[in-house]
């Protein structure tokens, strides 16, 4: 015959069990698991956004001949913000992080002789560079700005969108710049011809700014703008605020300018755009092999980036531009990185 517990004994036993359970739960809350800590660190390492006072940048390192330098560590670098030394919190060679990519193709009259080449080589590049977790979109610009394909990981859909680009020299539609929701983005202003700066702004502000992680924009253009409402300064600022690296494949058919008169000067503004955002201009003219090689160089750079992060000594998110300098201890190395960031609150 089993012996029954008295009511006071049962109450005491229940009280002890409750205390033990409370102590265990408190210990679990106060000591996060290693898996949770690792997850938090991974999340911080995969975003370019300014989150509180954490700033992260992607950059390349090259030698004097322009060859990429791999396998460096954080001890090989120093970082300054507005001239003040910063403490490096994160560092990695993040060549396999997901990539968000924008392809902007110039379909104005000056590109008539090179557009088919751009579409073919651009499609081959997308097949080479994109992986399962990557996203890309395609946008064309001429007298209008057209979103040909919104974000997708489908190379087939992106190639199909590229192939729909057509030379357009007709009059643009009116109505301002409402945003890049799909289809034609109407603009105003005269004369119209190549809304390059408007296209970069819209691609940055309406598309890439909504994404996190590694972001890049590739422009296939001669660099000439005609009719944009916005200026090159506005385009650069939008690209910087979206944390996007901008590359320009300068497809300039010099024969076109000789035929129609006037000089060619698109390269100077494109150099400003790319240098400020951490990319560069690659001149290809109207040569198929040069365009193919240019895309290959971009693919190599995007897959050979370092990721560096630091806790800013200036925690104010006041919207001002902060100049950032990354210096390699080896003075023969050249750093290819954006020149700074805007200290704005992170978008949730």
């Amino acid at each position: 015959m089993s012996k029954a517990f008295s009511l006071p004994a049962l109450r005491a036993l229940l009280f002890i069990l409750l205390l033990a359970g409370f102590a265990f739960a408190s210990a679990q809350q106060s000591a996060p698991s290693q898996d949770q800590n690792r997850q938090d660190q991974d999340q911080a390492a995969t975003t370019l956004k300014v989150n509180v006072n954490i700033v992260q940048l992607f950059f390349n390192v090259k030698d004097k001949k322009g060859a990429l330098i791999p396998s460096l560590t954080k001890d090989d670098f120093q970082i300054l913000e507005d001239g003040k030394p910063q403490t490096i919190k994160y560092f990695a060679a993040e060549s396999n992080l997901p990539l968000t990519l924008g392809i902007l193709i110039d379909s104005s009259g000056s590109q008539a002789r090179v557009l088919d080449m751009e579409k073919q080589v651009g499609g081959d590049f997308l097949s080479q560079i994109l992986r399962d977790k990557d996203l890309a979109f395609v946008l064309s610009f001429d007298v209008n700005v057209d979103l040909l394909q919104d974000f997708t990981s489908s190379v087939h859909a992106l190639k199909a969108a590229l192939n729909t680009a057509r030379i357009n020299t007709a009059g643009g539609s009116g109505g301002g710049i409402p945003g890049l929701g799909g289809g034609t983005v109407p603009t105003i202003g005269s004369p119209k011809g190549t809304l390059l700066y408007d296209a970069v702004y819209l691609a940055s502000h309406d598309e890439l700014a909504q994404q996190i992680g590694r972001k890049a924009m590739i422009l296939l253009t001669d660099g000439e703008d005609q009719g944009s409402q916005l200026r090159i300064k506005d385009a650069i600022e939008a690209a910087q605020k979206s944390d996007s690296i901008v590359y320009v494949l300068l497809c300039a058919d010099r024969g076109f300018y000789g035929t129609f008169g006037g000089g060619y000067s698109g390269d100077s503004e494109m150099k400003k755009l790319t240098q400020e955002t951490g990319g560069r201009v690659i001149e290809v003219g109207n040569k198929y092999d040069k365009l193919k090689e240019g895309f290959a160089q971009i693919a190599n750079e995007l897959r050979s980036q370092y990721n560096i992060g630091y806790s800013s000594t200036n925690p104010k998110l006041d919207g001002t531009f902060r100049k950032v300098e990354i210096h390699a201890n080896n003075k023969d190395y050249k750093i290819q990185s954006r020149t700074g960031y805007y200290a704005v609150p992170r978008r949730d």
Side-chain angles (χ1 to χ4, degrees), residues 44-286:
T46 57
T47 177
L48 274 171
K49 288 293 185 181
V50 179
N51 185 2
V52 187
N53 63 338
I54 297 296
V55 182
Q56 297 196 41
L57 305 162
F58 290 103
F59 66 99
N60 291 116
V61 184
K62 299 178 180 180
D63 63 18
K64 287 183 175 180
K65 296 182 179 180
L68 292 164
I69 305 295
S71 306
L72 299 177
T73 70
K74 73 174 185 178
D75 295 330
D76 293 307
F77 300 96
Q78 300 175 33
I79 191 163
L80 306 175
E81 180 179 299
D82 289 337
K84 298 179 181 178
Q86 306 293 315
T87 300
I88 298 173
K89 298 291 186 180
Y90 307 103
F91 184 86
E94 301 288 1
S95 60
N96 292 317
L97 282 177
L99 173 67
T100 304
L101 182 66
I103 302 292
L104 279 62
I105 188 166
D106 186 341
S107 49
S108 64
S110 63
Q111 300 298 92
R113 299 177 185 176
V114 295
L115 183 61
D116 288 342
M117 174 185 74
E118 293 172 351
K119 292 191 288 189
Q120 179 182 345
V121 182
D124 293 342
F125 166 77
L126 289 168
S127 297
Q128 174 192 0
I129 191 73
L130 290 185
R131 299 175 182 175
D132 291 341
K133 294 183 179 180
D134 297 336
L135 292 173
F137 68 93
V138 177
L139 180 153
S140 68
F141 56 94
D142 40 64
V143 294
N144 296 310
V145 180
D146 296 285
L147 182 61
L148 303 180
Q149 173 63 57
D150 209 343
F151 287 114
T152 181
S153 59
S154 169
V155 174
H156 176 77
L158 292 163
K159 283 185 173 182
L162 267 179
N163 287 330
T164 64
R166 298 288 183 271
I167 297 297
N168 183 11
T169 58
S173 53
I177 301 183
L180 199 58
T184 298
V185 179
T187 59
I188 59 174
S190 181
K192 298 181 181 69
T194 312
L195 305 185
L196 170 56
Y197 304 156
D198 288 352
V200 173
Y201 177 89
L202 289 164
S204 301
H205 183 270
D206 286 28
E207 292 286 283
L208 290 166
Q210 315 306 319
Q211 307 296 315
I212 61 173
R214 292 197 310 141
K215 293 179 280 189
M217 191 187 313
I218 300 175
L219 276 66
L220 292 150
T221 181
D222 58 10
E224 295 279 2
D225 181 277
Q226 186 182 51
S228 282
Q229 292 187 61
L230 302 172
R231 301 167 298 171
I232 184 64
K233 178 182 178 182
D234 303 311
I236 292 171
E237 181 176 330
Q240 287 173 327
K241 286 183 175 178
S242 71
D243 300 322
S244 301
I245 299 169
V246 181
Y247 286 92
V248 173
L249 289 167
L250 208 63
C251 303
D253 181 6
R254 308 278 174 162
F256 173 86
Y257 297 97
T259 301
F260 291 92
Y264 171 74
S265 60
D267 51 348
S268 61
E269 299 292 52
M270 293 301 94
K271 286 178 181 177
K272 292 179 186 177
L273 173 63
T274 57
Q275 288 172 358
E276 291 290 325
T277 59
R280 61 190 180 97
V281 172
I282 302 174
E283 295 200 32
V284 300
N286 59 358

